[in-house]
Amino acid sequence: MNIDIRMAHLFSTLNDDQVRQVMESSHVGTFKDGESLFETGDEANRFFLVIGGQIKLFRVSSNGDQKIIDIIQPGNTFAEALMFMEHPIYPVSAEALGPAKVISFDSRRFLQILSESFEVCFRIMGTMSQRLRGLIKEIDDLTLQSATTRLCAMLLRRMEEVGQNHFTLPAAKGVLAARLSMKPETFSRILQNLSTKKILKTKGNEIEVVDCDLLRSLAHLESIYGLEPEQPCVLNKELKIALK
Amino acid sequence: MNIDIRMAHLFSTLNDDQVRQVMESSHVGTFKDGESLFETGDEANRFFLVIGGQIKLFRVSSNGDQKIIDIIQPGNTFAEALMFMEHPIYPVSAEALGPAKVISFDSRRFLQILSESFEVCFRIMGTMSQRLRGLIKEIDDLTLQSATTRLCAMLLRRMEEVGQNHFTLPAAKGVLAARLSMKPETFSRILQNLSTKKILKTKGNEIEVVDCDLLRSLAHLESIYGLEPEQPCVLNKELKIALK
DNA sequence: TTTACTGTTTGACGGATATCAAGTGTTTTT
DNA sequence: AAAAACACTTGATATCCGTCAAACAGTAAA
């Protein structure tokens, strides 16, 4: 098997020798749907690169349901930030979403390489910086918005990603619901509501957005860059009516 | 004015020459209560060290209310992660909570120093790593927990911080409410409820915890390390009854 | 095909929290 | 000291969302 780990941003500036060093400590793992990579609280001396499938990062609450923190796509690394902690411990659990393939690396070994290359250092700092930004956005979504808003924002993001007003949901509805911190029932009801209001059409996991503008308003998508975070968005009241 | 910026973790390993370099680009600012340091979306080519008072980091939603992301205490730096982004833009707004004093530094200048010292690099990566962990914890609190749980956890944290079952709230109740993502009314009602149940006594901003164990149960403080994130916590039902 | 099994939908219901509105202090200003 | 401003409390009401339970569909297994 020949995988060039340089496809990952984190490794992209490594030279051949460094790649060899990193690979020495690497370990390829294949996981079935639902299989666990590690659990919250486990000692964290390895980090990961997804090369196939998806990996779900989540936390479990005391009442048993889980909040999905992130879904890692192929080509991306995760848990690499832990290597800078004294007693590294995974703050989340990870398991495969469908069959998945990952490579894991020894953190200590990679730290050695880091301590030889400023370029790699800066790269990892960049990655962490982006991740921080992502989490702040996440908190935003969770607190300042309703379930409907969150779902609409997700649909809109997906739509722009695909470039079509007709697309397939990127995962099972139950999984998406968890990702958006709501129950499957709620997820279902909101979709049905949007359907009734002629904002979109659904058929299984196929979504067709009909009233794109209204959807956008419902999501009131201020980006993370917060272009006009102030203006109180006059639409709010009208929208409440629009949704009966 | 003689401030040794080495009190900040981030700068702690700088030598005299490096400190001099950093200070060259620094700028001391004094802010009155509510005064703004920067807003969401502003270009971010400086980062900050709080040397007095508190700085509130927050985001404003379209309906006008704000979610407080963090309250930065003296001795701590913030916004330093942005310097690794191509087009650095503050993802949050910052303003003084009460009178405050901060030093700001030029990001580019600091990057130069970074590119000369692995030690400083590793230190900043450690800081970012901790911040990531903190944000994940934050998401946890926000999604997996009720308002009561969040408030209890906060009280408990404060109690352990002070080492006394009698302490003063670290900020105005309204501010704390925003920090915990709830309305001031809700905050007030929960405190009153805990009072009625003889769990604590309040007098203005003074809190005296009476039933420490019950408070702890209400907060069911699984730490971020998630020692037993699985076990469904038998207390839940009893506690519901305890709170009527 | 029949039978499970799992994921999704639908309905009835309840509870937690936001909203709106008014009232009470407390601090600041004049 | 009086007035104004602000922060907090309290009550009534609305609403969103979670819970529980049952029906339904699609898929895999027997």
Side-chain angles (χ1 to χ4, degrees):
Chain A
M1 170 193 27
N2 269 332
I3 297 154
D4 188 3
I5 59 171
R6 269 175 288 216
M7 70 178 182
H9 177 74
L10 183 60
F11 299 122
S12 57
T13 58
L14 297 186
N15 60 38
D16 287 354
D17 188 51
Q18 290 172 322
V19 167
R20 207 171 308 123
Q21 268 186 59
V22 176
M23 288 307 285
E24 265 173 30
S25 74
S26 77
H27 183 268
V28 178
T30 321
F31 296 87
K32 284 177 289 197
D33 179 49
E35 212 173 337
S36 170
L37 283 85
F38 54 77
E39 313 241 325
T40 307
D42 285 358
E43 213 179 312
N45 24 42
R46 313 211 111 226
F47 67 98
F48 302 83
L49 166 63
V50 181
I51 53 183
Q54 299 175 317
I55 300 297
K56 175 177 78 174
L57 304 184
F58 63 99
R59 285 183 60 80
V60 180
S61 79
S62 48
N63 57 46
D65 45 55
Q66 52 178 238
K67 164 69 181 104
I68 299 182
I69 306 285
D70 209 349
I71 295 176
I72 311 292
Q73 306 291 338
N76 291 295
T77 52
F78 63 98
E80 75 277 3
L82 277 316
M83 74 178 111
F84 303 102
M85 307 210 48
E86 348 59 68
H87 289 302
I89 280 176
Y90 296 116
V92 297
S93 303
E95 67 177 45
L97 212 56
K101 202 173 215 172
V102 306
I103 315 186
S104 72
F105 306 91
D106 184 75
S107 299
R108 210 148 350 169
R109 189 70 64 93
F110 190 70
L111 279 179
Q112 277 169 20
I113 293 177
L114 268 188
S115 68
E116 290 163 8
S117 162
F118 282 110
E119 200 164 356
V120 182
C121 275
F122 275 60
R123 207 157 275 277
I124 208 170
M125 289 190 256
T127 304
M128 286 166 77
S129 167
Q130 281 183 326
R131 209 149 281 184
L132 279 170
R133 191 166 126 289
L135 285 177
I136 289 175
K137 171 97 178 74
E138 187 82 20
I139 292 178
D140 225 46
D141 287 349
L142 288 173
T143 56
L144 307 176
Q145 324 242 10
S146 71
T148 301
T149 307
R150 276 177 270 146
L151 200 155
C152 289
M154 188 270 278
L155 291 175
L156 218 51
R157 234 176 288 142
R158 179 80 188 146
M159 201 179 95
E160 282 162 5
E161 204 177 301
V162 178
Q164 297 255 341
N165 66 343
H166 184 276
F167 55 88
T168 308
L169 291 175
K173 292 181 180 175
V175 174
L176 293 178
R179 181 79 238 280
L180 298 170
S181 294
M182 64 182 80
K183 297 288 145 179
E185 294 95 323
T186 305
F187 186 96
S188 178
R189 275 185 254 267
I190 292 175
L191 268 192
Q192 191 231 33
N193 188 24
L194 294 176
S195 258
T196 310
K197 302 305 180 307
K198 308 285 186 210
I199 294 170
L200 47 78
K201 291 175 185 169
T202 78
K203 182 166 189 174
N205 277 14
E206 301 288 318
I207 303 283
E208 187 192 339
V209 177
V210 179
D211 192 336
C212 191
D213 287 342
L214 198 43
L215 186 69
R216 200 176 303 274
S217 314
L218 284 171
H220 46 73
L221 215 63
E222 312 150 10
S223 83
I224 178 74
Y225 304 112
L227 299 175
E228 301 92 328
E230 321 290 74
Q231 66 181 25
C233 187
V234 199
L235 284 166
N236 273 349
K237 307 222 160 164
E238 302 169 24
L239 282 172
K240 275 190 182 172
I241 297 162
L243 286 177
K244 201 185 288 170
Chain B
M1 173 192 28
N2 269 330
I3 298 155
D4 188 2
I5 58 171
R6 269 175 289 216
M7 72 178 182
H9 178 74
L10 183 60
F11 299 121
S12 57
T13 58
L14 296 186
N15 60 39
D16 288 353
D17 189 50
Q18 289 171 324
V19 168
R20 207 170 307 123
Q21 266 183 270
V22 176
M23 287 307 285
E24 266 172 29
S25 74
S26 77
H27 182 269
V28 178
T30 321
F31 296 86
K32 283 175 289 194
D33 179 48
E35 212 172 338
S36 170
L37 283 85
F38 54 77
E39 312 241 325
T40 307
D42 286 357
E43 213 179 313
N45 24 41
R46 313 209 112 228
F47 67 97
F48 303 83
L49 167 64
V50 181
I51 52 182
Q54 299 175 318
I55 300 297
K56 173 176 78 173
L57 303 184
F58 63 100
R59 284 182 60 79
V60 179
S61 79
S62 47
N63 57 46
D65 46 54
Q66 55 179 233
K67 165 69 182 109
I68 299 180
I69 306 285
D70 209 349
I71 295 175
I72 311 291
Q73 305 291 338
N76 291 294
T77 52
F78 63 98
E80 75 278 5
L82 278 315
M83 74 179 111
F84 303 102
M85 308 209 48
E86 350 59 69
H87 289 303
I89 280 177
Y90 296 116
V92 297
S93 303
E95 65 177 49
L97 211 58
K101 201 171 214 175
V102 306
I103 315 186
S104 73
F105 305 92
D106 184 75
S107 299
R108 212 150 347 169
R109 189 69 65 92
F110 191 69
L111 279 178
Q112 278 168 20
I113 293 177
L114 268 189
S115 68
E116 289 163 9
S117 161
F118 282 109
E119 199 165 355
V120 182
C121 275
F122 275 62
R123 207 158 276 276
I124 208 171
M125 290 190 255
T127 304
M128 287 168 78
S129 169
Q130 281 183 326
R131 209 149 281 184
L132 278 170
R133 189 166 128 289
L135 286 177
I136 289 176
K137 171 96 178 73
E138 188 80 20
I139 291 178
D140 226 47
D141 288 349
L142 288 174
T143 57
L144 308 175
Q145 323 240 11
S146 72
T148 301
T149 307
R150 275 177 272 143
L151 201 157
C152 289
M154 187 272 277
L155 291 175
L156 218 49
R157 233 175 290 141
R158 179 78 189 148
M159 199 177 96
E160 281 162 5
E161 204 177 302
V162 178
Q164 295 257 342
N165 65 343
H166 184 277
F167 54 88
T168 308
L169 291 175
K173 290 180 181 176
V175 174
L176 292 178
R179 180 80 239 279
L180 298 171
S181 294
M182 65 183 79
K183 296 287 148 182
E185 293 95 323
T186 305
F187 187 96
S188 178
R189 274 186 255 268
I190 293 175
L191 267 192
Q192 190 231 34
N193 188 23
L194 294 176
S195 256
T196 310
K197 302 304 181 308
K198 308 285 185 209
I199 295 171
L200 47 78
K201 289 176 185 168
T202 79
K203 181 166 191 175
N205 277 14
E206 300 289 316
I207 303 282
E208 187 191 339
V209 177
V210 178
D211 193 334
C212 190
D213 288 341
L214 198 43
L215 185 68
R216 199 176 304 275
S217 313
L218 285 172
H220 48 71
L221 214 63
E222 310 151 9
S223 83
I224 178 72
Y225 304 111
L227 300 174
E228 302 92 329
E230 323 288 75
Q231 66 181 24
C233 189
V234 200
L235 284 167
N236 275 348
K237 308 223 161 165
E238 302 169 24
L239 282 172
K240 276 190 182 173
I241 297 161
L243 286 177
K244 201 183 287 172

